[in-house]
Amino acid sequence: MRQQIVISGVGGQGVLFVTRILAEAAIIKGISVFTSETHGMAQRGGTVLSHLKVGNFSSPLIRPGNANGLLALKADSFARHGYFLKPGAWTAVNSRKDVIVGPEFSAYTIDADNLAQHIHNPKSVNLILLGFALAAISGTLENSLFCTLEDIKMVLQHRLAKKKQMLNDAVKAVETGFNGFRK
Amino acid sequence: MLGNEAIAQGLMESGCVMATSYPGTPASEILAAFAALQKKGSEKRHIQWAVNEKIAFEIAYTGSMAGLRSAVSMKQVGLNVASDPLMSAAYLGVKGGFVVISADDPGPHSSQTEQDSRLMAMMAKIPVLDPDSPRQAKEMIATAFELSEAFEIPVMLRPTTRVCHARQDVHPGEALSHKREVDFQKDPARWAATPKFRLHLHRELEKKLNAVSRYNKTAPIRLNAEATASKALIVSGVAAAHAKEILKDLKLWDVIPMYQVLQPFPLHKDFVSHMIKTYSEILVVEETTGVIEMQLADRHRIKGKLTRFVPEVGELLPETIQQIIGEFAGIGIEHIDVPSEPGIRPTLCAGCPHRAAFFAVKKAAPKGIYPSDIGCYTLGLNLGAVDTVLCMGAAVSQAAGFYHAYKHEKKQPDIVATIGDSTFFHAGVPALIDAVVQNVRFVLVILDNRTTAMTGNQPTPAMGMGACGESLNSVNIEGVVEGCGVKFCRVGDPYQLKEFTALLKEAVKYSRENGPAVVISRHPCLIDRFRKEKPGWQPLKVEVADTCDGCAFCIDHFECPALILDETEEHVSIDPILCNGCGVCISVCPKKSIKEIKP
């Protein structure tokens, strides 16, 4: 199992939290993992980009043209960081409208901002998009994600064991995203 | 585990019992992580944030003189501050293992320079280890202590941002309980050596270095025994981590022999002769300066930084290394265009007390010169209230420099310098004493937000709190300022903008006629996670009235992220999520359109 995933968004969206959750899912499954983030001035509204490498890697960074997938928390994240993807890669985008990508990529969009408002948890966009990606990028796809909805729930239960309300909200957000995917 | 946490874990597993630091990106989390580990166990250790890197170094080094395993951590520019004890400690040597962790920042992502700490190790004549990952950084801490004790020499660990701030699965081991007793053996000929003995110690140091360059445990590693080409690759640090992957992806793993250097200085002598004897061409990929490269004799075979084959400036990203290796191996690499990131201008947080202080500075001395310093408040340059930033503490001495430069002119500009509380303690105090002695006519505004905000809210000497949260003595800033001999020292709250501006005007007037004046701008940082006391102010609800004509004065001169200008509507509004209710903008609006909503 070797997978390279780029996660892109802006400060405050929880890019780093999603990265940690995915990294812990890898550790639970006994796979080596590397993450690296660039967040120079994120606290002040800047772009946050994190690199997640699952499997046997030595470098903490993903080279352009090498990523299997892009989790895009903003609609313009693909335009900004799509260059990391390799042909055949997927991208899951939080966007109101469909995102135009080249024929070499498969794109899946979900209006996570709207769904987050709907479940009264405006800060859960990150987990909704993650749940959505778990549903969309599964099964038949060559680059399907290394983990499942159940793995992610297990990580959340482990991390938020002492914070019942936060755990319930987080699980609800992931499930909302997961159920938001229609084939 | 974060790279810095892995380093802390390594310190614990190696039985390090004295650790000191001054915060600085990307090294800040090392001591914090060590303090967190300390809280979990029962081992007795000394862990502290020091006033500056020089002091941190001297405390930890002395622990090692007394026989204990000790470590000091800092960022690369911090090592400049600690360079004086570093050079001397190399001569005197150590007893207990002593590791100097100096984190470099190629890029630079958050530093004034891209300097290579390995050059400082070279100048001091001490060995330096260069980890490629969090995992290796942890292992190298153990190696560094062994090496240090084997040769009685300080050893440097030089991680870079990509090691410090990467996360990797790292297996924690058991804490090594320290078996050694503290036992300072008096030996004035060594510990207080006069110049004559220093010559002797220098000779001894050279002998040690010679032996270190033959030390087996830190010798370069041949990574791919199968490869037999006559061209070879030497890599080190995180560039090695990138290169390993690239060589495999380019299907060159079985072709080009690759060697990883663990100890860039002193480079192993047998390795140098082996490389020169065996290969016709050698590419060296390392960050940031060509330290390994310059130790390889027979230079015409070497390609690297010094030959401009590898860029001398900036971070070596894996895509850059791929291009370089491709060119070296004679294979074409498809270039992928990377769109340039649209620059979002960083700004102080909404409600940051520094913003109010800067606004007042510009009001009080509109044509002044504004020297400033290192910290969050460097961002005051967006507000036009910061003219110079040189290095820690320089705001005060640069104010003096400007005063002396202009003092023989007919008209002298007002000079208002700004410095943070932690930076003032770090290097501002000696400069203030100098300014008092020279009667420098300037105002020093000490931006006292009761924390070291920029690097993650480490305590300052004024807080009375230690690295593990223990309570300590505190030193008050007013007392220090008055003790330096400053006759005008007043405290104000920048949230009270009118009163604070009046206070600054008074200080400016005083400084023109009398000499140095100090205003302490006191208001706690809003994002200080460790603050226990309640804020001493009530947040206000603020709205923008219809009389706002969109003149954008508040946007241009106050630049609070919570103020949003709608250019088509010619109206400013307030983002309720970002606004923290400081209410300072009420006094900023020239049209009096920003108002408090009375409950």
Side-chain angles (χ1 to χ4, degrees):
Chain A
M1 169 60 70
R2 283 181 110 229
Q3 227 164 63
Q4 310 190 54
I5 298 166
V6 176
I7 301 154
S8 154
V10 297
Q13 278 192 312
V15 169
L16 305 185
F17 184 71
V18 167
T19 311
R20 290 290 287 278
I21 297 292
L22 283 166
E24 280 174 35
I27 290 173
I28 283 182
K29 297 175 86 70
I31 315 173
S32 285
V33 63
F34 238 127
T35 72
S36 205
E37 55 233 22
T38 56
H39 53 99
M41 293 287 178
Q43 196 147 35
R44 287 134 183 104
T47 312
V48 186
L49 177 69
S50 77
H51 298 219
L52 174 78
K53 297 173 86 167
V54 180
N56 186 20
F57 289 100
S58 58
S59 156
L61 297 178
I62 299 173
R63 272 167 284 147
N66 277 269
N68 303 82
L70 167 69
L71 218 47
L73 273 78
K74 293 292 266 185
D76 63 355
S77 294
F78 179 81
R80 208 172 273 182
H81 296 129
Y83 66 86
F84 278 108
L85 297 176
K86 66 177 183 185
W90 56 266
T91 176
V93 192
N94 166 29
S95 171
R96 231 163 268 177
K97 291 180 242 161
D98 279 346
V99 171
I100 313 291
V101 300
E104 66 273 39
F105 306 121
S106 21
Y108 305 90
T109 54
I110 184 169
D111 188 351
D113 285 337
N114 187 24
L115 283 170
Q117 293 293 344
H118 195 72
I119 59 168
H120 308 293
N121 189 357
K123 292 208 160 176
S124 67
V125 169
N126 55 351
L127 291 174
I128 293 176
L129 185 69
L130 173 60
F132 173 73
L134 290 167
I137 327 299
S138 69
T140 52
L141 273 171
E142 183 200 340
N143 291 319
S144 70
L145 269 170
F146 68 93
C147 60
T148 64
L149 179 65
E150 294 313 310
D151 297 330
I152 296 297
K153 280 190 192 170
M154 202 144 73
V155 172
L156 289 171
Q157 268 152 15
H158 183 72
R159 264 191 90 95
L160 303 171
K162 287 179 191 155
K163 298 168 182 169
K164 279 277 175 289
Q165 187 58 45
M166 277 176 81
L167 173 63
N168 289 343
D169 291 350
V171 170
K172 190 176 176 188
V174 177
E175 283 176 344
T176 303
F178 193 86
N179 298 327
F181 175 68
R182 282 175 203 87
K183 279 178 190 163
Chain B
M1 220 181 263
L2 191 69
N4 284 341
E5 292 167 354
I7 291 172
Q9 183 70 31
L11 292 174
M12 192 189 68
E13 290 173 21
S14 295
C16 173
V17 288
M18 269 179 83
T20 59
S21 182
Y22 182 82
T25 315
S28 311
E29 299 87 354
I30 298 170
L31 193 87
F34 197 47
L37 291 170
Q38 166 73 9
K39 285 187 217 165
K40 286 182 193 164
S42 57
E43 186 76 37
K44 286 194 173 67
R45 300 187 184 96
H46 176 74
I47 301 175
Q48 79 157 93
W49 293 112
V51 173
N52 65 34
E53 293 85 353
K54 175 182 186 304
I55 293 166
F57 187 107
E58 290 157 352
I59 292 170
Y61 172 66
T62 307
S64 125
M65 279 170 59
L68 302 176
R69 283 197 164 183
S70 318
V72 59
S73 58
M74 63 197 87
K75 70 181 296 179
Q76 88 286 37
V77 289
L79 189 62
N80 299 342
V81 176
S83 59
D84 205 359
L86 170 69
M87 301 300 151
S88 193
Y91 276 42
L92 303 185
V94 307
K95 280 292 180 189
F98 178 54
V99 182
V100 180
I101 305 162
S102 181
D104 282 357
D105 185 26
H109 296 275
S110 42
S111 302
Q112 304 100 288
T113 69
E114 286 193 298
Q115 67 193 63
D116 189 330
S117 293
R118 301 176 308 163
L119 284 169
M120 291 289 266
M122 219 172 170
M123 180 153 81
K125 301 192 173 176
I126 62 165
V128 53
L129 306 179
D130 195 3
D132 68 3
S133 61
R135 220 179 269 165
Q136 197 179 55
K138 173 171 162 291
E139 289 162 10
M140 277 185 173
I141 288 285
T143 314
F145 276 115
E146 281 174 44
L147 179 61
S148 173
E149 283 170 3
F151 298 94
E152 294 204 359
I153 193 169
V155 175
M156 184 188 290
L157 181 82
R158 192 290 301 246
T160 55
T161 303
R162 297 296 181 187
V163 172
C164 292
H165 285 172
R167 284 178 193 275
Q168 189 181 23
D169 50 314
V170 177
H171 296 288
E174 287 298 309
L176 179 70
S177 201
H178 78 112
K179 290 177 198 78
R180 64 198 72 232
E181 295 288 312
V182 57
D183 179 21
F184 174 56
Q185 301 276 335
K186 287 197 182 192
D187 181 4
R190 177 177 177 186
W191 303 125
T194 53
K196 192 178 162 196
F197 286 102
R198 296 272 168 166
L199 177 68
H200 166 71
L201 289 170
H202 191 185
R203 205 168 280 131
E204 291 297 307
L205 179 58
E206 282 297 335
K207 275 190 210 158
K208 286 180 190 176
L209 270 185
N210 192 30
V212 171
S213 71
R214 299 180 196 283
Y215 188 64
N216 242 337
K217 279 191 173 170
T218 55
I221 305 168
R222 170 76 190 261
L223 295 168
N224 49 356
E226 318 76 40
T228 52
S230 63
K231 289 179 170 189
L233 200 54
I234 299 176
V235 291
S236 182
V238 81
H242 298 323
K244 283 181 219 174
E245 259 180 60
I246 290 164
L247 222 59
K248 285 175 190 162
D249 287 356
L250 296 180
K251 312 237 177 311
L252 292 172
W253 187 257
D254 300 327
V255 182
I256 299 184
M258 178 153 73
Y259 295 80
Q260 181 170 358
V261 169
L262 307 176
Q263 178 188 289
F265 180 81
L267 198 56
H268 284 68
K269 296 213 163 127
D270 295 345
F271 173 70
V272 175
S273 11
H274 168 76
M275 295 307 288
I276 298 300
K277 217 185 301 167
T278 319
Y279 302 106
S280 61
E281 240 183 305
I282 300 161
L283 169 65
V284 189
V285 189
E286 59 184 320
E287 279 180 326
T288 316
T289 306
V291 167
I292 297 169
E293 189 184 348
M294 66 176 79
Q295 295 171 79
L296 291 163
D298 201 358
R299 299 294 292 283
H300 71 276
R301 297 191 208 181
I302 315 293
K303 286 190 159 70
K305 297 242 174 191
L306 304 179
T307 66
R308 306 272 161 97
F309 195 80
V310 179
E312 288 171 289
V313 175
E315 185 180 9
L316 286 180
L317 290 168
E319 49 268 39
T320 314
I321 295 177
Q322 182 165 314
Q323 292 288 340
I324 295 165
I325 292 179
E327 198 182 327
F328 181 67
I331 53 174
I333 305 282
E334 190 199 349
H335 181 76
I336 294 175
D337 272 333
V338 175
S340 62
E341 290 270 329
I344 298 173
R345 195 158 81 157
T347 178
L348 294 165
C349 303
C352 176
H354 296 338
R355 176 181 287 104
F358 282 128
F359 190 80
V361 165
K362 285 192 296 179
K363 279 258 173 180
K367 291 183 180 157
I369 298 179
Y370 311 129
S372 191
D373 225 296
I374 311 279
C376 292
Y377 50 92
T378 302
L379 293 174
L381 60 94
N382 290 343
L383 297 160
V386 168
D387 292 325
T388 66
V389 176
L390 184 64
C391 65
M392 294 288 280
V396 186
S397 4
Q398 289 198 287
F402 283 122
Y403 168 71
H404 295 306
Y406 277 99
K407 70 181 175 190
H408 302 300
E409 299 296 307
K410 267 187 202 148
K411 264 190 89 177
Q412 283 106 38
D414 293 329
I415 300 165
V416 183
T418 45
I419 191 168
D421 44 351
S422 187
T423 310
F424 176 65
F425 282 115
H426 178 285
V429 177
L432 185 59
I433 295 172
D434 190 86
V436 168
V437 171
Q438 297 287 336
N439 203 36
V440 175
R441 295 179 178 189
F442 83 118
V443 177
L444 177 64
V445 181
I446 301 175
L447 300 165
D448 180 15
N449 60 358
R450 318 302 289 168
T451 183
T452 316
M454 183 71 157
T455 47
N457 302 112
Q458 293 80 8
T460 74
M463 285 165 78
M465 191 177 82
C468 300
E470 73 276 23
S471 88
L472 297 173
N473 294 332
S474 65
V475 171
N476 100 355
I477 297 177
E478 298 90 307
V480 173
V481 170
E482 282 160 10
C484 288
V486 175
K487 299 282 185 291
F488 184 109
C489 175
R490 305 270 288 277
V491 182
D493 179 355
Y495 269 25
Q496 309 300 322
L497 191 60
K498 279 183 195 154
E499 294 79 359
F500 188 75
T501 309
L503 173 60
L504 270 184
K505 283 183 178 163
E506 197 188 328
V508 169
K509 187 160 177 282
Y510 175 91
S511 75
R512 279 183 203 142
E513 291 155 11
N514 302 292
V518 172
V519 172
I520 300 169
S521 168
R522 180 165 293 154
H523 197 102
C525 173
L526 294 170
I527 58 166
D528 186 350
R529 299 172 279 152
F530 303 107
R531 177 153 294 281
K532 287 175 192 138
E533 53 200 87
K534 285 183 181 163
W537 57 282
Q538 277 295 320
L540 310 177
K541 284 205 161 167
V542 183
E543 65 177 357
V544 184
D546 293 341
T547 49
C548 170
D549 59 4
C551 74
F553 179 86
C554 59
I555 305 283
D556 296 339
H557 297 277
F558 195 58
E559 207 190 42
C560 177
L563 293 166
I564 315 286
L565 172 67
D566 188 330
E567 282 179 46
T568 47
E569 291 286 320
E570 294 188 334
H571 197 275
V572 168
S573 60
I574 289 167
D575 183 326
I577 294 173
L578 289 177
C579 177
N580 80 321
C582 74
V584 175
C585 55
I586 297 172
S587 319
V588 167
C589 176
K591 313 272 163 67
K592 309 231 178 299
S593 296
I594 305 180
K595 291 177 176 159
E596 183 188 351
I597 310 173
K598 300 267 182 192

